Amino acid sequence: MILHQNSGKSVTVIGGGVAGMSAACALAEAGLRVQLVEGRRFLGGRASSYLHPGVQEVIDNCQHALFGCCTNQLGFYRRIGVEQKIHWTREMTMIEPGGRRSLLGPSCLPAPLHDVPRLLSAHAFTLADKLALGRAICALLRPIPADSTESLGDWLRRHKQTKGALNRFWRLVIASALNAELDSIALPYAAMVIRGLFLNSAEAGRMGMSTVPLSELYAGADDFLKARGGGVLLSTRVEGATWNEAVAQWTVQTSSGDLRSDFVIVALPFEATAKLLSHMPPVEGAEALAEQLARFEHWPICSVHLWFDREITELEHAVLLDREIHWMYNQSRLQTGRGGHYLELVVSASRSFAALERKAAIELALAELADFFPRVKKAKLEKFALVKEVRATFGVPPGIDAARPTAISPWPNCFLAGDWTATGWPSTMESAARSGHLAAEAICKMIGEPRTILDPDLKPQGWMRWIR
Ligand SMILES: Cc1cc2nc3c(=O)[nH]c(=O)nc-3n(C[C@H](O)[C@H](O)[C@H](O)COP(=O)(O)OP(=O)(O)OC[C@H]3O[C@@H](n4cnc5c(N)ncnc54)[C@H](O)[C@@H]3O)c2cc1C
């Protein structure tokens, strides 16, 4: 079967994650005819939701948080008209075992001081922790060379961080945002997270969560493409692609037939891109790309989904200190119309938790949850699910930037996207959205209709305007 894409310039976007969707929608808006091809039954990739057969509930594969500084992800949401489905918060509650709480969040002081008053009054940190954190964060106000080969772990040792600062801030908040261990994080990425979330402005650091399951959010992308003469092919795996020089067109071989188009965007995770390379035409540069791809490493994220017979906490979300479980999200409060008493617990960057058997993982999670919320002991657990995403994110160790290719591929009329490409961002939905926008910009430039698609960064506020 040949599925023709008929008028104007056409593009096949391979992979319906945030990168593929962002690229596809931006190109459709620019007037190209776009076919988005996704192997699974639903859009979203590593940030998606589905009906879990064990609990008969639609759940996200994991809670996905975004921040005010994620301008391209927000640009994508605005484009498809779903930005009002994001719930924003400026506060973060840290809870110690035993239940004592500390509330972090902005004050009316100018950036970068806006978060300082609440940090100073937080019970979660001793005076020595606060002094150590203050010293380190001030040091990060100085520019960090982008090619620094130092790891965050080494840098923290040099800056004499206390145990409390290490465990309760650097490990839990920063390493968990980057989903890796401290020694496996390149310093510039850690500095970028600190600046983005805590220093540049209160707006940049606000946290957003979807009020609907993630794949429901992306229904907007499907409608957007269809309304502009494009479409989405679900349950369609791409198996290879060939380039016809004579007509300057690609033929993409899929499990549902061949697709012809003028351009192709490969918006797959790094390992799926590596697999596809051997089914693409041989070309100079493909081997070097394969070598770059081989340098990426995965880190896991696990989520435990628990339904109780009663409310466990009135909090929407919290950071849980000193335990294996890191984050609690009260989905019954966060998601519209959810009902019941559904909590989701997230464990980042823990290969030991990911290796646990299901029963052991649930028992550990429940026992730890009770250390923070005593109501768990009296509550009845009605149902539960454990989602282990072993290939959740790629690590950003020192030197990783040399392995991240730009949108330009070794093949003619073929572009690369995906969170792992050279966006300057760690493995996040923002990186994926940026990569999609960069690939779309490259195609518009190539057809002689250049336009700016990449959404600009938020401008630093307060005194941060003068601190570079
Ligand atoms: C558990 C977990 C928690 C996370 N938490 C956060 C968070 O809180 N905040 C945040 O910003 N980021 C988070 N991330 C990271 C974020 O999900 C990813 O960085 C982002 O979604 C990557 O998007 P992508 O489009 O680059 O890749 P993907 O989402 O992997 O999309 C690629 C798509 O290609 C499809 N595909 C693969 N092979 C083929 C083929 N041969 N043919 C057709 N289709 C194919 C896949 O099915 C997939 O849909 C988390 C990730 C996980 C897994």
Side-chain angles (χ1 to χ4, degrees):
M1 175 179 44
I2 302 281
L3 306 174
H4 282 285
Q5 297 178 327
N6 19 36
S7 75
K9 291 291 179 194
S10 56
V11 189
T12 304
V13 179
I14 307 173
V18 174
M21 288 188 289
S22 309
C25 293
L27 286 169
E29 188 175 79
L32 285 87
R33 186 173 293 273
V34 185
Q35 192 71 260
L36 179 61
V37 188
E38 166 55 43
R40 295 205 251 180
R41 285 176 288 114
F42 44 83
L43 290 173
R46 276 172 283 155
S48 54
S49 58
Y50 55 92
L51 180 70
H52 189 289
V55 289
Q56 284 301 308
E57 299 264 359
V58 174
I59 61 169
D60 290 346
N61 67 326
C62 185
Q63 173 66 51
H64 274 67
L66 74 145
F67 293 89
C69 53
C70 298
T71 51
N72 282 268
Q73 192 185 349
L74 289 168
F76 164 56
Y77 288 170
R78 263 193 302 277
R79 182 165 284 126
I80 61 170
V82 299
E83 77 275 22
Q84 74 287 356
K85 293 187 178 166
I86 302 299
H87 168 73
W88 291 100
T89 173
R90 288 174 188 249
E91 290 180 337
M92 184 161 78
T93 308
M94 294 183 129
I95 314 184
E96 294 163 73
R100 191 166 66 160
R101 295 180 183 183
S102 303
L103 192 64
L104 300 186
S107 65
C108 57
L109 290 182
L113 301 177
H114 54 288
D115 282 335
V116 172
R118 279 195 173 157
L119 182 66
L120 286 178
S121 62
H123 302 295
F125 301 107
T126 63
L127 181 61
D129 296 338
K130 289 169 189 170
L131 290 173
L133 279 173
R135 266 197 328 272
I137 291 175
C138 283
L140 286 176
L141 282 172
R142 288 192 288 273
I144 304 286
D147 59 353
S148 160
T149 52
E150 191 165 17
S151 75
L152 175 61
D154 285 340
W155 188 89
L156 292 173
R157 280 186 281 279
R158 246 183 348 105
H159 286 78
K160 309 233 177 314
Q161 293 298 285
T162 56
K163 200 171 149 204
L166 276 174
N167 285 338
R168 293 184 164 185
F169 184 75
W170 295 107
R171 211 160 261 139
L172 192 52
V173 180
I174 303 306
S176 130
L178 289 161
N179 197 35
E181 282 156 11
L182 297 176
D183 287 327
S184 303
I185 295 172
L187 184 59
Y189 282 97
M192 177 191 177
V193 171
I194 291 280
R195 275 189 175 240
L197 303 193
F198 297 102
L199 301 177
N200 278 348
S201 68
E203 192 194 347
R206 69 188 177 138
M207 181 164 113
M209 291 157 283
S210 175
T211 56
V212 295
L214 287 167
S215 296
E216 202 176 305
L217 203 61
Y218 309 136
D222 195 353
D223 297 342
F224 188 90
L225 292 174
K226 281 186 189 136
R228 284 155 188 82
V232 177
L233 285 174
L234 296 175
S235 306
T236 302
R237 289 203 73 74
V238 169
E239 288 151 1
T242 49
W243 169 245
N244 185 336
E245 184 68 49
V247 290
Q249 275 209 327
W250 281 95
T251 301
V252 173
Q253 288 99 34
T254 80
S255 51
S256 314
D258 287 355
L259 290 171
R260 286 199 190 136
S261 56
D262 303 304
F263 295 93
V264 162
I265 296 181
V266 178
L268 300 175
F270 66 86
E271 67 281 61
T273 306
K275 261 193 215 156
L276 191 64
L277 290 194
S278 50
H279 303 282
M280 303 267 293
V283 68
E284 199 186 326
E287 213 169 293
L289 178 59
E291 280 164 20
Q292 282 172 280
L293 286 161
R295 289 180 54 189
F296 284 87
E297 189 193 7
H298 278 121
W299 286 84
I301 301 181
C302 298
S303 54
V304 180
H305 304 250
L306 305 167
W307 283 262
F308 291 99
D309 66 342
R310 67 196 71 187
E311 184 161 81
I312 300 300
T313 173
E314 81 297 349
L315 288 173
E316 284 179 351
H317 69 99
V319 184
L320 310 176
L321 301 173
D322 306 338
R323 293 290 183 269
E324 278 281 312
I325 53 173
H326 297 147
W327 302 85
M328 180 283 297
Y329 296 94
N330 191 340
Q331 296 298 8
S332 291
R333 285 188 175 248
L334 287 167
Q335 294 195 343
T336 317
R338 184 56 95 158
H341 305 291
Y342 166 27
L343 297 189
E344 180 181 341
L345 311 176
V346 176
V347 184
S348 302
S350 173
R351 290 185 168 136
S352 55
F353 191 89
L356 289 177
E357 295 288 336
R358 194 169 103 106
K359 187 164 174 283
I362 301 293
E363 281 173 4
L364 178 68
L366 276 175
E368 291 195 354
L369 191 63
D371 292 341
F372 302 95
F373 305 106
R375 275 184 233 166
V376 170
K377 290 180 191 141
K378 294 220 170 104
K380 183 168 165 249
L381 181 65
E382 292 179 330
K383 54 187 175 181
F384 58 87
L386 169 67
V387 181
K388 290 182 185 178
E389 289 276 12
V390 180
R391 296 172 175 181
T393 61
F394 63 88
V396 284
I400 192 67
D401 285 346
R404 299 182 76 178
T406 66
I408 311 297
S409 86
W411 293 273
N413 290 16
C414 172
F415 295 85
L416 298 173
D419 59 352
W420 56 278
T421 57
T423 62
W425 276 66
S427 184
T428 51
M429 296 183 287
E430 172 63 12
S431 181
R434 275 179 188 244
S435 75
H437 291 167
L438 287 167
E441 269 186 7
I443 290 184
C444 290
K445 190 171 168 205
M446 190 170 233
I447 60 174
E449 293 174 20
R451 51 163 67 199
T452 305
I453 296 173
L454 195 71
D455 292 284
D457 290 337
L458 284 185
K459 288 201 168 59
Q461 299 292 312
W463 300 345
M464 285 304 283
R465 280 174 292 177
W466 297 288
I467 303 176
R468 290 283 161 217

